[in-house]
Amino acid sequence: TSTMSFGAPVAPAPQLVGSCTSGTTDRLAPADHCVQSAGNDGISSLRWSSTANHLLSTNWDGGVRCWEVQEQGGQIRALPKAQVNHEGNAPVLDCCMSPDGNTVFSVGADKAVRMWQLGQTPPNNVPQQIGSHDQPIKSVRFLKGTNMIVSGGYDKLLKFWDARQPNPVAQIQLPERVYDMDTSDSLMVVACAGRHILTYNVQGQPQEHERKESPLKYQSRCVAAFPDNTGYAVGSIEGRVGIQYATKVPGKESFAFKCHRDGNNVYAVNHIAFHKGYGTFCTVGADGIVNFWDKDNKQRLKGFPAIHRTITCAQFNA
């Protein structure tokens, strides 16, 4: 793994939505929109529906929220549509959607995997529990190849769920707690405490492909699978991103680069999001900056001015 620096900005950035710890509208650009009713605490994840302009968020205040996003004449509006809450308003740490856009799966500090049918109000406004862990659950994803839900928790387990059954279909013991997880078709990548990174083929029965130590020297904060399933990007608390290929790609080698730094100040990379159409990606950090990157040409496409608040996550709607 090599370390390198990206070049100067050379192209405009794609559109995305991001969340910060708190804020006002005083720094919004003309085409930006401040989403209303975003919650009372930090936003832990964002997801777009693949079938409609529906935006989901999970929040440390225990809420899972849905907006309908509309665009007209270059202006964007997000209209609050629905909200559910985890039991006891326990912090919600992640969510995902079924491919048809009808079902939301969420996980969090209540140690439960929950399912919410959009358009329906569950009893007591608490989504149905379809699974559980012995410790808080950090990440959840839907596996298109098998129509299963996979959850990763602080109990050092991956569990695979069929929403129609109360017990996991399978589970995998991990070397450490799950810090982040992502999937892209047949590829699943899991970043654990202790700088462990594991990749799996999840086209059918989950099969471990590789386990290795992170190429970065400090704790992993986030991980994102390449849209073409050939590898992943991992971000750390030390303002650095590693580009790793899980399979051999002619002319491509793994490398790492520094980002989200200002002189001697080093900021965590909080989230990495890939644009599925272009294969470019963005990083957001504790420095309040959004950067866009092209890993294939090793270029920084654009960096936005700092908003002076931590940005926790971001997601493209493409």
Side-chain angles (χ1 to χ4, degrees):
T1 301
S2 61
T3 301
M4 52 84 67
S5 296
F6 279 84
V10 294
Q15 291 185 341
L16 85 164
V17 63
S19 72
C20 53
T21 50
S22 63
T24 62
T25 60
D26 60 330
R27 295 185 64 86
L28 288 181
D32 289 347
H33 172 73
C34 185
V35 175
Q36 301 301 312
S37 305
N40 303 314
D41 208 329
I43 295 173
S44 52
S45 73
L46 294 168
R47 294 287 179 265
W48 284 97
S49 167
S50 60
T51 59
N53 282 328
H54 290 154
L55 172 65
L56 293 170
S57 79
T58 58
N59 198 297
W60 280 77
D61 66 6
V64 183
R65 294 171 172 85
C66 178
W67 294 267
E68 181 180 348
V69 180
Q70 301 175 348
E71 187 271 337
Q72 185 174 9
Q75 296 299 310
I76 298 174
R77 293 192 308 160
L79 307 177
K81 299 296 290 185
Q83 176 182 344
V84 293
N85 296 284
H86 276 219
E87 191 170 11
N89 291 325
V92 190
L93 302 180
D94 198 15
C95 70
C96 65
M97 294 191 77
S98 58
D100 61 11
N102 293 328
T103 309
V104 179
F105 302 94
S106 55
V107 297
D110 60 355
K111 309 174 188 176
V113 182
R114 298 190 178 275
M115 180 176 69
W116 173 29
Q117 299 288 345
L118 285 178
Q120 300 180 13
T121 301
N124 300 317
N125 209 39
V126 176
Q128 175 189 353
Q129 180 172 339
I130 63 167
S132 66
H133 283 244
D134 292 334
Q135 296 292 332
I137 309 172
K138 181 60 174 66
S139 298
V140 64
R141 291 293 182 272
F142 190 94
L143 302 178
K144 297 179 183 178
T146 57
N147 287 326
M148 288 194 298
I149 301 97
V150 57
S151 55
Y154 291 161
D155 56 1
K156 306 178 186 179
L157 288 174
L158 287 177
K159 293 189 176 185
F160 298 82
W161 307 93
D162 181 328
R164 300 164 295 182
Q165 301 179 21
N167 297 316
V169 176
Q171 68 179 38
I172 296 175
Q173 181 71 48
L174 298 170
E176 256 293 356
R177 294 154 290 164
V178 173
Y179 279 169
D180 199 18
M181 177 172 70
D182 196 24
T183 59
S184 177
D185 293 330
S186 61
L187 172 67
M188 178 170 71
V189 56
V190 183
C192 297
R195 298 171 54 235
H196 299 281
I197 298 180
L198 299 92
T199 53
Y200 296 88
N201 184 331
V202 290
Q203 189 62 42
Q205 183 75 14
Q207 298 289 331
E208 183 177 319
H209 171 71
E210 182 182 41
R211 63 173 61 197
K212 62 187 299 182
E213 189 175 77
S214 168
L216 311 179
K217 296 179 180 179
Y218 293 93
Q219 175 185 308
S220 301
R221 175 61 63 87
C222 53
V223 69
F226 297 168
D228 65 3
N229 313 327
T230 59
Y232 57 89
V234 57
S236 75
I237 63 171
E238 54 155 338
R240 195 183 296 261
V241 169
I243 300 296
Q244 295 288 298
Y245 287 90
T247 58
K248 289 290 185 181
V249 178
K252 302 295 183 183
E253 297 291 339
S254 298
F255 65 95
F257 64 92
K258 299 175 183 178
C259 55
H260 298 281
R261 299 183 176 205
D262 181 13
N264 293 325
N265 296 320
V266 179
Y267 300 91
V269 180
N270 287 332
H271 193 81
I272 300 170
F274 276 90
H275 189 289
K276 296 188 184 302
Y278 299 119
T280 51
F281 66 98
C282 76
T283 59
V284 297
D287 56 354
I289 290 177
V290 180
N291 284 316
F292 291 90
W293 311 91
D294 179 346
K295 66 176 176 59
D296 296 326
N297 294 308
K298 297 183 178 179
Q299 288 182 319
R300 187 172 78 118
L301 300 176
K302 186 176 179 65
F304 286 108
I307 64 170
H308 307 299
R309 295 175 185 88
T310 291
I311 302 176
T312 54
C313 48
Q315 202 71 37
F316 290 100
N317 69 338

